[in-house]
Amino acid sequence: MTGEPRAVVVLGAGKGTRMKSALPKVLHKIAGRTMISHALDAASVLKPERTVVVVGPGMDNVAAEVAPFDTAIQHGQSGTADALKAAVPSLKGFDQGTVIVLFGDSPFITAETLANMVAAREAGASAVVLGFEPADPTGYGRLVLDDADNLTAIVEHKECTQDQLRIGLCNSGFMALDAATALPLLNAITNDNAKGEYYLTDIVSLCVEAGHKCSVIKASEDELLGVNSRADLARAEKIWQDKRRLEAMDNGVTLTSPESVFFAYDTQLGTDVIIEPHVVFGPNVTVGNNVTIKAFSHLEGAQVGDGADIGPYARLREGSVIGKGARVGNFVETKKCTLGDGAKANHLSYLGDAEIGARANIGAGTITCNYDGFLKSKTWVGEAAFIGSNTSLVAPVSIGDGAITGAGSVITRDVSPDAIAVERGEQKMRPGAATEYRAAKKALRDAQS
Ligand code: UD1
Ligand code: CA
């Protein structure tokens, strides 16, 4: 975007009492990402010169989440105007341009709407307010327009006359303010109202009284949803997921049961991907083309190569890199593990801190013993190696290309390429012993009864 300079202020000092949580409200997550980060991400498209997040005292965890952006502390919760005032020292020297005010608990604002607000502001408004027409306007501030559709005031629900309560156009809380003409009026806002708070909404009538123009931009209710309770959070998650599922299908992904698949905010999917029911994506997953992810799989921090086949019941954890055409079957868990192209781990394995070569075959029940209670160690398996069922690979250990390990072996030393390593007790056999054993046991039981 070009145009005048911009600053973004996100208000997030509210405790979020209705969440009944030790965590500040804006740190609750939707699609694996905190609400405050969703809002900041949308705002980033404005390329703001400065971004300030207003937090309450002691919300160091919010400051850590939004770093390196600035935080300003609002002491006492005396209203949205007071919250914006708390950010003013961080805006020192920002005298020309637009200050965009966002709410940290409204994560769905789109970049497009923000750009529209800024464009309306730069077209000559002192304040641009984002309005919407909710199904139920109860509780929202009402937007009062004149005959020319200019905004003249915002009246909080509690202060509305009967006539004003009939106004359907409501305040979302999002505003774009002219730094030069609107910001200085913050100091003129009083708390002489029903709640005894400093309402930021009063800035509109103050601007109009000072002879400046104010206007309204509209957006849909879904985009402006504010999260106040856990039920709202679940509703927000559903809205986000539904949208993302449609987007995935539009982009060439088959979802057998869309409502049971959950994506993260940053899930990347190729084309001709098939995702079966009940698959969950945590953050940071990239899936290539022609991949099938079978039912009940869980992926996070994983990269899945073209043509790979995952699940059912697979768990790919942080640092999993699955090669082209590789296969991760049921009850296989991978973590910090590279599985080479065409390699297979079909059943019941834990592969952690491991590098598995192309076309290697990991037998059922293979475990990399990567942790001794103190340190993590690595396992290397060479190309086309064959790891027998139920092999324990005690790391650090390296299996050469083309080597074979016998089923049930506990491998503690490196195996050279194309060698066979077997580590198990010698098998003894006593012919007829089972018959003798059964006869002896039966005689014992007969004597007791
Ligand atoms: C506000 C608007 C109302 C609008 C509604 C939309 C005002 C006076 N009213 O009302 O017109 O329809 O949002 O949802 O602005 N916050 C602080 N410090 C404070 C108070 C609030 O940081 O002292 C933050 C909250 O964390 C929240 C946001 O500001 O992110 C909105 O505050 P809230 O108290 O929820 O405002 P509403 O009463 O809902
Ligand atoms: Ca609110």
Side-chain angles (χ1 to χ4, degrees):
M1 279 185 81
T2 52
E4 298 173 23
R6 286 139 207 167
V8 168
V9 178
V10 187
L11 306 187
K15 285 199 198 75
T17 320
R18 278 175 287 168
M19 295 296 284
K20 303 210 169 75
S21 174
L23 201 63
K25 179 162 73 175
V26 298
L27 291 186
H28 285 263
K29 289 179 180 175
I30 293 166
R33 175 189 238 180
T34 60
M35 291 198 272
I36 190 88
S37 291
H38 277 283
L40 287 170
D41 185 55
S44 69
V45 78
L46 299 172
K47 304 224 178 328
E49 269 185 13
R50 300 184 200 188
T51 300
V52 188
V53 178
V54 179
V55 300
M59 291 188 186
D60 300 345
N61 42 7
V62 180
E65 168 72 5
V66 304
F69 292 130
D70 241 359
T71 35
I73 296 175
Q74 182 196 16
H75 297 277
Q77 302 235 330
S78 47
T80 44
D82 182 65
L84 180 55
K85 259 186 172 172
V88 167
S90 309
L91 296 175
K92 198 165 185 297
F94 188 88
D95 306 320
Q96 302 290 324
T98 306
V99 177
I100 298 104
V101 180
L102 308 180
F103 286 178
D105 57 359
S106 295
F108 290 153
I109 184 79
T110 64
E112 190 190 0
T113 298
L114 291 173
N116 288 341
M117 285 172 72
V118 168
R121 217 301 298 148
E122 289 180 359
S126 192
V128 174
V129 171
L130 185 61
F132 69 126
E133 287 163 341
D136 176 12
T138 308
Y140 290 112
R142 305 300 205 280
L143 303 185
V144 183
L145 307 181
D146 67 12
D147 296 339
D149 278 350
N150 287 316
L151 180 65
T152 57
I154 305 177
V155 186
E156 285 304 288
H157 183 100
K158 283 196 170 163
E159 331 277 334
C160 278
T161 63
Q162 283 305 316
D163 274 351
Q164 286 169 335
L165 283 177
R166 279 193 279 275
I167 299 175
L169 185 59
C170 292
N171 176 27
S172 69
F174 294 73
M175 287 188 191
L177 302 172
D178 179 25
T181 58
L183 268 200
L185 297 174
L186 266 182
N187 290 319
I189 294 175
T190 68
N191 63 351
D192 181 15
N193 53 50
K195 280 172 140 181
E197 284 189 359
Y198 295 88
Y199 294 162
L200 179 57
T201 45
D202 285 352
I203 200 132
V204 169
S205 51
L206 289 170
C207 282
V208 173
E209 277 163 33
H212 308 304
K213 197 181 109 133
C214 296
S215 61
V216 177
I217 287 280
K218 285 197 228 176
S220 77
E221 187 171 7
D222 272 0
E223 192 181 331
L224 301 173
L225 175 105
V227 171
N228 294 311
S229 63
R230 307 268 182 167
D232 289 344
L233 191 68
R235 198 153 58 97
E237 182 77 39
K238 183 170 167 19
I239 290 171
W240 192 95
Q241 293 294 345
D242 282 342
K243 199 170 150 220
R244 184 67 184 86
R245 290 162 186 152
L246 281 177
E247 211 175 273
M249 292 187 279
D250 277 349
N251 291 328
V253 173
T254 292
L255 301 178
T256 325
S257 162
E259 64 287 350
S260 72
V261 173
F262 291 81
F263 295 108
Y265 70 97
D266 60 350
T267 307
Q268 290 185 45
L269 304 168
T271 53
D272 286 316
V273 170
I274 297 175
I275 304 176
E276 291 187 356
H278 300 287
V279 171
V280 176
F281 293 88
N284 193 20
V285 174
T286 307
V287 176
N289 301 325
N290 302 302
V291 169
T292 299
I293 303 176
K294 294 187 176 136
F296 297 101
S297 294
H298 190 283
L299 298 83
E300 60 190 323
Q303 231 175 289
V304 181
D306 294 346
D309 201 325
I310 310 295
Y313 297 98
R315 180 168 184 213
L316 307 188
R317 294 170 59 198
E318 202 56 47
S320 296
V321 180
I322 311 302
K324 290 182 183 154
R327 161 126 188 84
V328 181
N330 43 269
F331 306 106
V332 172
E333 174 181 343
T334 61
K335 189 202 167 200
K336 286 197 188 154
C337 170
T338 301
L339 200 61
D341 293 352
K344 289 180 192 152
N346 277 335
H347 341 259
L348 302 156
S349 271
Y350 171 63
L351 302 172
D353 298 296
E355 238 173 79
I356 315 287
R359 292 170 286 108
N361 186 82
I362 307 295
T366 296
I367 304 289
T368 53
C369 309
N370 62 329
Y371 184 52
D372 59 10
F374 297 92
L375 295 172
K376 295 265 173 80
S377 303
K378 230 177 134 171
T379 299
W380 292 266
V381 173
E383 286 185 15
F386 183 96
I387 307 300
S389 294
N390 213 28
T391 298
S392 296
L393 298 166
V394 181
V397 73
S398 166
I399 312 295
D401 292 350
I404 294 175
T405 69
S409 296
V410 177
I411 302 294
T412 52
R413 282 175 290 141
D414 291 354
V415 177
S416 55
D418 294 313
I420 294 181
V422 184
E423 192 280 343
R424 56 168 93 111
E426 202 183 319
Q427 183 168 323
K428 297 190 183 79
M429 187 172 75
R430 289 187 282 132
T435 310
E436 288 164 23
Y437 172 83
R438 277 192 291 269
K441 285 287 179 188
K442 186 168 178 294
L444 210 57
R445 192 179 58 197
D446 291 349
Q448 278 176 3
S449 60

